Amino acid sequence: MKRQMMTFTCEGATLVGTLDQAAGTTGLLIVSGGNEVRHGAHRGMAMLAARLAAQGTPVFRYDRRGVGDSDGENSGFAYAGDDLRAAADSFRRAAPQVTRLYGFGNCDAASLLALEGRNAGIARVLLANPWTIEQDDDLPPAAAIRAGYTQQLLDLAEWRRLLRGGIDMGKAIKGLWKIARTRSQPNTLATKVTSAIAEWGDAVTVLLARDDNTARAFADAARAHTFHTLALDTSSHSFARAADKKALAEIVTRWLSA
């Protein structure tokens, strides 16, 4: 196995990527979420890439414009379709034996893959905790607030806290108002992302961290759809714990061979 750093261009900017070489004809393009650099939280994506390459799958990771080692302006995931296409083209040039390109991303990288993956020539996608939140306050997503309130209603200790005045009623009322407002107002990002995922049909798998707020928001937004969905029993959004990394690697390995 050999790890190689390379550069490629996108709209006049120089981007940096990393290829974990392997002989396989199915390649995996890992897309970073948020402003995360290509090695991932706690080097999780670099470790995943090394493991998959050792099993025969070439893996390419990259920093989009304005992130990490790449030049240019960071305009967010919604404007990163050109970066994705440039990375996919660079991957194919660097690993010409690759005839099938798959994509994996977490958070808004998953949403980007859902929206733009086909345009980059990606055949299948594994989408972890897709981002569907249009945030206009500092509260958690409505689905997370609802889940938290449900858990508290079943907890006798929380009732005792309420009777002793230990609960911030102002914050609780704000949470209830957000739940009601979310139900009455359309979320255009959620509609756009879930509809895009549905268009992938059998070529998409959704992976949700069971106790992650972003995953809860997605599950709430996707109620009208039926996706092939896997769940990982963790609260870590980025699968940061050692057990999460191991479980994620096993899931990706099985998915690649399916």
Side-chain angles (χ1 to χ4, degrees):
M1 188 191 71
K2 182 179 178 182
R3 176 167 286 175
Q4 175 185 357
M5 190 173 75
M6 60 187 62
T7 60
F8 57 99
T9 59
C10 176
E11 299 292 311
T14 299
L15 276 61
V16 178
T18 300
L19 172 65
D20 284 78
Q21 298 179 359
T25 58
T26 297
L28 179 64
L29 179 63
I30 294 180
V31 184
S32 297
N35 297 319
E36 195 173 88
V37 296
R38 64 189 183 277
H39 63 239
H42 308 282
R43 299 195 60 80
M45 295 302 100
M47 295 166 64
L48 175 63
R51 175 168 175 166
L52 296 175
Q55 297 169 355
T57 299
V59 182
F60 190 85
R61 298 169 284 121
Y62 69 99
D63 293 338
R64 73 171 185 235
R65 280 174 291 178
V67 174
D69 294 321
S70 293
D71 295 338
E73 182 179 351
N74 178 11
S75 299
F77 83 96
Y79 301 94
D82 289 336
D83 308 62
L84 176 64
R85 288 185 285 275
D89 290 343
S90 180
F91 189 4
R92 293 188 183 93
R93 288 193 299 271
Q97 84 281 6
V98 170
T99 58
R100 292 183 305 275
L101 188 57
Y102 293 174
F104 168 68
N106 184 36
C107 194
D108 63 26
S111 299
L112 172 63
L113 278 168
L115 295 166
E116 298 287 348
R118 293 286 196 197
N119 294 331
I122 296 173
R124 292 178 66 212
V125 286
L126 177 61
L127 309 178
N129 307 317
W131 180 259
T132 56
I133 302 168
E134 291 181 323
Q135 194 79 358
D136 59 0
D137 54 39
D138 58 356
L139 294 174
I145 295 173
R146 189 162 50 249
Y149 285 178
T150 300
Q151 185 175 6
Q152 289 172 349
L153 287 172
L154 298 174
D155 188 342
L156 290 177
E158 291 298 318
W159 282 100
R160 286 194 289 269
R161 280 185 63 211
L162 175 62
L163 294 173
R164 292 196 302 265
I167 292 178
D168 185 339
M169 293 305 298
K171 184 176 180 181
I173 291 170
K174 287 181 180 178
L176 291 170
W177 171 243
K178 179 165 185 174
I179 292 172
R181 181 165 49 86
T182 301
R183 287 297 189 193
S184 63
Q185 294 179 349
N187 183 332
T188 54
L189 176 62
T191 300
K192 187 176 180 181
V193 170
T194 55
S195 296
I197 293 174
E199 291 176 1
W200 283 83
D202 294 339
V204 64
T205 297
V206 175
L207 172 63
L208 299 180
R210 196 180 304 277
D211 294 322
D212 171 59
N213 284 344
T214 301
R216 285 174 171 149
F218 171 80
D220 187 59
R223 285 173 299 150
H225 300 278
T226 301
F227 302 127
H228 178 215
T229 303
L230 305 173
L232 204 159
D233 193 13
T234 180
S235 60
S236 174
H237 176 72
S238 57
F239 311 105
R241 303 184 185 101
D244 298 338
K245 288 187 176 74
K246 180 181 178 182
L248 176 63
E250 291 171 351
I251 287 171
V252 176
T253 299
R254 290 195 300 269
W255 172 75
L256 284 168
S257 63

